[in-house]
Amino acid sequence: MLHPCLVPLQCSKSCGSGRRQRALQCVNHNQQEVHEMYCVNQIKPPNLESCSTHACDFIWITGEWTECSASCGQGYRQRLVSCSEVHVENDNYEYGHQSLSNCPGTPPESYMPCNLDPCPQPQEWRAGIWGPCSVSCGDGVMERTVQCMSADGQGQQQQQQLRILYEVWLDTIRCQEIQSVNGPVPDSEHFLSIQGKALKVYCGGMQTETPQEYITLTTGEGENFSEIYGFRLNDPTQCPANGSRREDCDCRRDYSAAGTTTFSKVRLDLSKMNIITTDWKFAVNREGKSVPFATAGDCYSATRCPQGRFRINLSGTGFQVAEGTSWVSQGNYAVANIHKSQDGSTVSGMCGGYCGKCTPSSGRTLPVTVA
């Protein structure tokens, strides 16, 4: 009678969700391997199983501090902070990067000020008027004469150049600069100077030539979502249940543009101080089609009975929706009911029509300011 011979192999991991594989051989009564056709009538045992399912330990790993960004005055140092999973393999410790939420306690500081002694100041800088720009658009250069005047009125003259593209940079540090100091580092949160304030911003794409800034929405996805409602009334001239949402209505769920999208981070265009509403890198499509940030709509009713919803909550981010930001209605019988908090940190909307939606009046962007 033939039976399989099982040769177990070592578990792939010492902790966490490991896998163990074993080779299967078809052998005869003398334990000699024969062709597998002789075992065709026997149930084949599984060759994979879970192993080492106990949880791994997580520890904080810190890199070396960078050199101070300034030799005097206000500067800063940075270091890489990561949460790592510890594996023990043959008495050797191996580390794997994990989400920061896995590690216990507060993460070590990744940013600290340095060189706070004031810089020596000249007695007086005397600057001339900026000359004309070298180009009519794009990245041009202006020049002016600058003199450092001594007590006896003598001065040394030098030329200064200013790239128009960098005018906004005078009080703004971007992820591109962090990358230029530290090199290609993992995507993570950094303190950036934005309009004179130090704000925590997520730097994405730090392994590429074009790092991008993202606002981490600390209030979570439940407070930051967009919805195009999918139900449609069979009689669009009605507004049942006094406008409240009920899924047992006399309606059908066939609106092809419907969808619900939640957001954990949103893309920030620092040069224009806009949120890009159609960036989906940190968005989750819960159902249907992707819906841009700050957008809602439906095809429910033609009687000012909106069911589509959106919500924005920037509390705790250091940003707020810019004053004067408005929403516009688009489509048939479109209506938008928008409610903004006084400080601009939260906005909610009920929008729809037959069919209709609302979007920020600025199009695919949402203007924001530093709170």
Side-chain angles (χ1 to χ4, degrees):
M1 179 178 179
L2 302 175
H3 64 277
C5 175
L6 310 180
V7 183
L9 300 179
Q10 189 175 3
C11 189
S12 62
K13 299 174 71 174
S14 61
C15 62
S17 299
R19 303 280 289 181
R20 180 165 54 195
Q21 187 174 14
R22 58 186 177 184
L24 300 180
Q25 296 176 337
C26 185
V27 299
N28 60 19
H29 295 290
N30 297 323
Q31 298 299 309
Q32 295 176 329
E33 184 178 3
V34 296
H35 194 276
E36 64 181 13
M37 66 175 288
Y38 292 105
C39 290
V40 69
N41 293 325
Q42 298 194 25
I43 298 175
K44 188 175 183 180
N47 66 337
L48 285 175
E49 68 175 357
S50 298
C51 56
S52 299
T53 57
H54 61 281
C56 297
D57 293 326
F58 295 88
I59 61 172
W60 290 108
I61 301 294
T62 58
E64 296 293 331
W65 287 106
T66 63
E67 294 293 329
C68 189
S69 62
S71 58
C72 63
Q74 179 67 57
Y76 64 89
R77 294 177 184 269
Q78 287 189 295
R79 65 178 177 180
L80 176 64
V81 175
S82 62
C83 177
S84 294
E85 183 183 60
V86 182
H87 300 276
V88 181
E89 301 287 349
N90 299 324
D91 294 329
N92 293 319
Y93 289 87
E94 297 181 0
Y95 303 94
H97 291 297
Q98 299 291 328
S99 169
L100 297 182
S101 62
N102 288 331
C103 273
T106 304
E109 291 292 333
S110 61
Y111 175 95
M112 72 173 182
C114 56
N115 289 340
L116 299 181
D117 293 332
C119 297
Q121 297 293 323
Q123 292 187 352
E124 182 181 10
W125 284 109
R126 192 168 295 175
I129 300 174
W130 286 110
C133 186
S134 61
V135 297
S136 59
C137 62
D139 184 6
V141 174
M142 295 191 304
E143 293 186 353
R144 67 178 177 181
T145 299
V146 178
Q147 290 181 305
C148 179
M149 304 301 298
S150 61
D152 57 4
Q154 300 298 316
Q156 294 182 343
Q157 180 173 303
Q158 65 181 32
Q159 294 294 110
Q160 285 188 344
Q161 291 186 343
L162 174 66
R163 288 189 180 275
I164 302 301
L165 184 62
Y166 295 161
E167 284 186 333
V168 180
W169 249 15
L170 295 178
D171 63 349
T172 299
I173 295 176
R174 306 188 187 197
C175 295
Q176 184 81 52
E177 290 186 85
I178 302 295
Q179 185 194 59
S180 66
V181 173
N182 300 321
V185 297
D187 297 353
S188 62
E189 303 278 352
H190 292 272
F191 280 98
L192 304 186
S193 175
I194 301 175
Q195 296 183 352
K197 288 189 176 182
L199 298 179
K200 186 176 285 188
V201 171
Y202 186 88
C203 291
M206 294 293 277
Q207 305 289 325
T208 70
E209 296 180 356
T210 56
Q212 297 171 337
E213 291 80 20
Y214 290 86
I215 300 174
T216 297
L217 302 169
T218 58
T219 54
E221 297 181 24
E223 288 287 299
N224 294 275
F225 63 87
S226 298
E227 176 196 51
I228 302 294
Y229 192 55
F231 286 86
R232 303 206 295 179
L233 289 171
N234 290 321
D235 182 359
T237 64
Q238 302 296 315
C239 184
N242 200 27
S244 61
R245 178 182 292 191
R246 293 184 58 177
E247 294 188 0
D248 61 349
C249 58
D250 180 19
C251 49
R252 59 192 187 276
R253 193 173 189 177
D254 62 353
Y255 187 28
S256 60
T260 302
T261 304
T262 60
F263 300 84
S264 58
K265 293 178 175 63
V266 286
R267 170 83 181 281
L268 175 64
D269 182 351
L270 272 175
S271 63
K272 299 178 181 178
M273 287 299 289
N274 284 333
I275 289 174
I276 299 176
T277 61
T278 54
D279 188 293
W280 313 110
K281 184 176 179 63
F282 295 100
V284 177
N285 202 34
R286 300 297 177 180
E287 62 177 341
K289 296 186 177 179
S290 298
V291 185
F293 193 62
T295 301
D298 65 25
C299 200
Y300 184 73
S301 173
T303 60
R304 301 184 65 83
C305 193
Q307 301 293 306
R309 301 176 296 183
F310 77 82
R311 184 161 179 83
I312 302 165
N313 193 337
L314 301 180
S315 300
T317 66
F319 296 90
Q320 62 188 21
V321 176
E323 186 177 357
T325 300
S326 61
W327 274 254
V328 295
S329 300
Q330 302 174 1
N332 298 322
Y333 305 101
V335 60
N337 297 328
I338 309 298
H339 301 279
K340 293 186 287 186
S341 64
Q342 188 172 2
D343 62 358
S345 62
T346 63
V347 184
S348 60
M350 292 281 291
C351 306
Y354 199 78
C355 302
K357 66 178 180 178
C358 64
T359 62
S361 59
S362 48
R364 296 183 177 181
T365 62
L366 177 68
V368 294
T369 60
V370 173

